[in-house]
Each structure stands twice: as C-alpha cells, then as structure tokens.
C-alpha cells in the first residue's frame, strides 16, 4: 500500500501546479492525475453538477488503488469535500485550508483578498474560513475568464492584462495586502496579477502548502513511499481526446508529459 500512487484530481490542467509541488517535495511518490476535461470548466456550473462530476472522478481514482486523494480544485473542494471524506477510506486533502492558513500568517493589515471562479466565490467557503478570525476583513472577486485564458495557454497578452485590471481594481481599492489565488489555474497568471496588484501585496497559492499537507497526512498514516521506491507519474483526461491536454500541460509546466490516457467516469446517483 505504501508504494500505491497518490490520486490528484482537477477540472482541467490547473491542478498540475499541485501535482508539480507534490512531486518536488515528495520525489519518491507515484502520482495519478485526472483532469476532468469533459466537464471543464467547473466554475460556472451548478454546485450539484460539480459535486456529481467530482465524485465520479474520485470513484475512478479509488478504483485504481490510490492511497490518498488530493482535490486540486477549489470549486470541487467547496462543493464536495465533506462528501469525499465520508465516502472514501483513504485520506483526502484539499487546497482551500492550506491557502487560508498561509494568508492569515502573511497579512499585516488584516485585509485579505480572494479571487476565484464564480462557483468558489459564490460558495462563501473562503469568506467563512477567513471570517472566523477577529480583525480580518475579506474582499472577494470572481474572475471567470482567468481559467479560459490559462486553458488557452494565454498568460501574458494585452487582453489578459485588461481583463485582470478590471477584476482586480476593487481589491486594489480595498487596500488588501494579501491576495489568495483561489483557483489552481491562477498561479500560471502570477506575473500579470503581481504586476497589477503591486509589490506590497503578497500572493498566496495553495500548491506548495497543499504538498506540505500531503506529506503530513502520509507521515501520520504511515503511508510514505518506501526508500528506494521509483515514482511513476500517470496522466489521465476524461474528454474526447488527449492532444489538447498534453500540449497545454507541456506548455505550462515546461516539462514533457509524454502520455495521457482517456478514462471514462461512471454516472452515479446522488441525493439532491
């Protein structure tokens, strides 16, 4: 069981930032990454649909024998984290909690901004988790087009800067000193976001902090890969073809993803 892979799930390619951080911090661990490209993007979709799609993919990962699940998608985490922890017998790690803890530690003036998809911002999960801390004010902005830009491989165009300026203007006006990138696609846009927010604003993304949570969970559950284990990385997608996923993954990560398998997720019935 120790040398079984970690299962990582996202609606598309954004969660590859989390997969990369886990691989960097835990080089002996094998990974199975599934991008639900058939249903991407999750952000504009009803929460009930996101919940169903997410649990279908996680079921598929569990059937493949993973020893841990990582929900590398903010929208999915907001929609079904509790369901996942009740449904599966393996540890489940998500990306929201680590980002919240880092933001609280980073802020100096107690004014924290959060950007994310419409689904994540609309769920109120960041507002709730940050708002329980006295002295912290939370300001949010949905940035739906950011995922479109990343999925198209556009990270530095004039159009992107114009859209980002519109999204971020209210947060700049609110004088936030810490900004949570509440979507795993957004670290690919750090250059543009940092430029517009200014050097005095700390950007918090969940990739490295989530990898630390993965390490802690593996250690506490006695699941760290054996010394000398050889890591294998498997990439899967649910869409009609793998070419777009492969091309975009290589463009964004700067490393070669040689083989992506197509997987089918089964329809499941969930209580409404």
């Amino acid at each position: 069981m120790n040398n079984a892979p970690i299962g990582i799930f996202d609606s598309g390619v954004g969660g590859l930032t989390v997969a990369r951080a886990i691989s960097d911090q835990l080089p002996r661990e094998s990974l199975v990454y599934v991008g639900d490209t058939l249903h991407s993007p999750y952000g504009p979709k009803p929460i009930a649909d996101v919940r169903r799609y997410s649990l279908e993919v996680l079921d598929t990962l569990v059937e493949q024998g993973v020893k841990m699940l990582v929900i590398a998608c903010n929208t999915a985490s907001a929609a079904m984290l509790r369901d996942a922890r009740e449904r599966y017998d393996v540890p489940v790690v998500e990306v929201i909690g680590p980002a919240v803890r880092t933001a609280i530690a980073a802020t100096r003036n107690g004014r924290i901004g959060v950007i994310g998809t419409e689904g994540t911002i609309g769920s109120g999960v960041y507002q709730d988790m940050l708002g329980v801390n006295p002295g912290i004010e939370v300001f949010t902005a949905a940035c739906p087009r950011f995922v479109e830009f990343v999925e198209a491989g556009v990270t530095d165009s004039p159009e992107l800067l114009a859209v980002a300026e519109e999204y971020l203007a209210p947060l700049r006006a609110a004088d936030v000193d810490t900004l949570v990138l509440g979507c795993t696609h957004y670290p690919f846009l750090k250059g543009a976001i940092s430029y517009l927010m200014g050097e005095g604003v700390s950007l918090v993304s969940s990739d490295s902090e989530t990898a630390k949570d993965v390490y802690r969970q593996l250690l506490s559950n006695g699941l760290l890969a054996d010394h000398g284990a050889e890591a294998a990385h498997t990439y899967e997608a649910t869409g009609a073809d793998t070419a777009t996923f492969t091309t975009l993954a290589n463009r964004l990560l700067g490393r070669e993803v040689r083989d992506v398998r197509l997987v089918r997720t089964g329809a499941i019935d969930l209580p409404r």
Side-chain angles (χ1 to χ4, degrees):
M1 181 64 177
N2 283 26
N3 293 334
I6 298 167
I8 306 172
F9 150 65
D10 184 56
S11 61
V13 299
L16 289 169
T17 57
V18 176
R20 176 173 56 187
I22 293 172
S23 177
D24 288 345
Q25 293 189 31
L26 295 162
R28 291 200 306 272
E29 298 294 341
S30 294
L31 310 176
V32 177
Y33 180 97
V34 178
D36 189 16
T37 49
L38 178 64
H39 301 114
S40 183
Y42 279 4
K45 290 183 169 59
I47 288 294
D49 289 344
V50 172
R51 180 169 170 254
R52 184 173 73 256
Y53 300 148
S54 301
L55 290 173
E56 287 175 358
V57 174
L58 295 181
D59 280 359
T60 300
L61 283 168
V62 170
E63 288 169 4
Q64 293 184 51
V66 300
K67 64 181 177 182
M68 169 182 281
L69 293 168
V70 180
I71 307 172
C73 175
N74 285 261
T75 306
S77 295
M80 42 63 74
L81 175 61
R82 180 176 298 178
D83 297 289
R85 287 183 169 157
E86 292 176 353
R87 186 179 181 88
Y88 305 113
D89 293 329
V90 298
V92 179
V93 174
E94 47 80 33
V95 292
I96 295 175
V100 166
R101 292 192 293 272
T102 303
I104 292 170
T107 186
R108 302 174 305 280
N109 68 3
R111 301 172 73 82
I112 297 176
V114 181
I115 56 176
T117 66
E118 294 166 304
T120 298
I121 298 302
S123 74
V125 62
Y126 275 103
Q127 298 92 313
D128 292 343
M129 293 182 71
L130 288 165
V132 299
N133 295 269
I136 286 183
E137 294 183 82
V138 185
F139 305 87
T140 63
C143 305
R145 292 197 62 196
F146 278 179
V147 171
E148 296 175 19
F149 282 112
V150 172
E151 295 278 350
V154 177
T155 59
D156 58 0
S157 72
E159 183 185 5
L160 167 64
L161 279 173
V163 170
E165 187 166 18
E166 180 180 348
Y167 286 155
L168 300 175
L171 300 178
R172 292 168 59 189
D175 193 32
V176 301
D177 75 345
T178 303
L179 180 64
V180 177
L181 308 184
C183 175
T184 48
H185 285 70
Y186 294 1
F188 293 116
L189 304 179
K190 267 186 176 179
I193 294 170
S194 180
Y195 171 75
L196 291 169
M197 294 302 297
E199 294 181 0
V201 176
S202 300
L203 302 186
V204 174
S205 57
S206 55
D207 45 5
S208 61
E209 298 304 317
T210 299
K212 293 175 186 175
D213 264 16
V214 168
Y215 172 79
R216 285 190 286 265
Q217 289 273 4
L218 292 176
L219 182 63
S220 64
N221 286 280
L223 293 174
L224 283 169
D226 299 333
H227 289 285
E230 293 187 10
H233 294 177
T234 302
Y235 301 93
E236 300 175 343
T238 62
D241 67 80
T242 63
T244 301
F245 182 98
T246 304
T247 300
L248 186 54
N250 287 323
R251 182 187 303 150
L252 294 172
L253 288 183
R255 62 177 67 179
E256 187 172 355
V257 176
R258 291 185 176 88
D259 182 46
V260 179
R261 303 188 309 202
L262 286 177
V263 294
R264 292 182 180 274
T265 57
I268 59 177
D269 293 325
L270 295 172
R272 293 283 179 174

